[in-house]
Amino acid sequence: MVDEEVIESYFYLNKRITKTRKRMAQRERNYREINRYPSNYIEDEDIRRVAFRIEPEVINHVSAQQDAERHITIMKFKLKHFNRFLKGISREERSYYFYKHKEKRPSLNDKLDHLLEEEIAEIEEAVGYRFNLELSLQTKLENSSIENHFEEMADLLGV
C-alpha cells in the first residue's frame, strides 16, 4: 500500500520544510554573490573577453526558487492534513505512532498500522489531485481493474 519510508517522512515534515527554506536562503546568497563582470581568457594567442550571460542565470535561479516554493507548499498541505489526523486519534494511538516511526521501536498493531497507511494514502492522493501531480503507477494499478487493462491491450492490438 504505502511505503514505510513515505510514512516515516510524514513525521519529519516540519524538519524538511525548515531545511528547504535554509537551502533556498543559501541559494539566494550564492546567486547574489555571483561575479557578473566580463572575464578574459586567452585562446590561440588572442585575448578574448566573454560577457556574463545573465539570462540563463536568472532563469535557473527563479525556476529553482519556484520549485522549492511549490515543494514547501506541498509539504505544508501534507502536514496540515497529517496533523488533523493526529489530533483526531487518542493519545495512546499517537504515542504508538511516534514510538514506532520516530524512535524506531519495534511494535505491532496491525489495526493502527493499517489506519495510518490508509490516511497517508488518502493524503498522497489528495496531493496528487490538488497539485496536479501524476499518480504513482501503483496507485493507478490499484484504481483500475485487470479487465480494463486487458480491454486496452486488445484495442491496441486491434483484436
Side-chain angles (χ1 to χ4, degrees), residues 6-43:
V6 173
I7 293 172
E8 287 183 10
S9 73
Y10 272 75
F11 289 91
Y12 296 97
L13 283 170
N14 275 330
K15 188 181 280 189
R16 290 175 58 204
I17 290 170
T18 303
K19 282 184 177 182
T20 303
R21 284 204 171 120
K22 286 180 182 177
R23 281 195 307 270
M24 285 176 64
Q26 182 60 45
R27 184 170 177 87
E28 184 69 28
R29 284 190 295 276
N30 292 345
Y31 174 74
R32 300 277 181 218
E33 294 173 358
I34 291 175
N35 181 0
R36 291 177 177 82
Y37 292 104
S39 60
N40 298 325
Y41 70 96
I42 299 175
E43 181 180 301

Side-chain angles (χ1 to χ4, degrees), residues 36-87:
R36 291 177 177 82
Y37 292 104
S39 60
N40 298 325
Y41 70 96
I42 299 175
E43 181 180 301
D44 297 328
E45 297 181 10
D46 290 331
I47 296 178
R48 303 213 182 235
R49 188 172 195 141
V50 178
F52 175 75
R53 299 190 58 143
I54 196 158
E55 294 87 5
E57 288 295 327
V58 170
I59 290 170
N60 290 339
H61 175 68
V62 170
S63 177
Q65 293 294 85
Q66 287 175 340
D67 289 346
E69 284 293 336
R70 180 176 165 86
H71 184 62
I72 287 173
T73 303
I74 290 170
M75 286 190 294
K76 283 182 174 181
F77 182 85
K78 288 179 179 182
L79 183 62
K80 172 184 155 187
H81 292 285
F82 186 62
N83 283 339
R84 184 178 294 158
F85 166 74
L86 290 177
K87 287 178 183 176

Side-chain angles (χ1 to χ4, degrees), residues 135-152:
L135 295 175
S136 70
L137 180 60
Q138 180 181 1
T139 305
K140 286 181 183 178
L141 290 175
E142 289 173 358
N143 291 338
S144 62
S145 65
I146 293 175
E147 292 84 20
N148 289 343
H149 290 293
F150 184 75
E151 289 172 11
E152 288 175 22

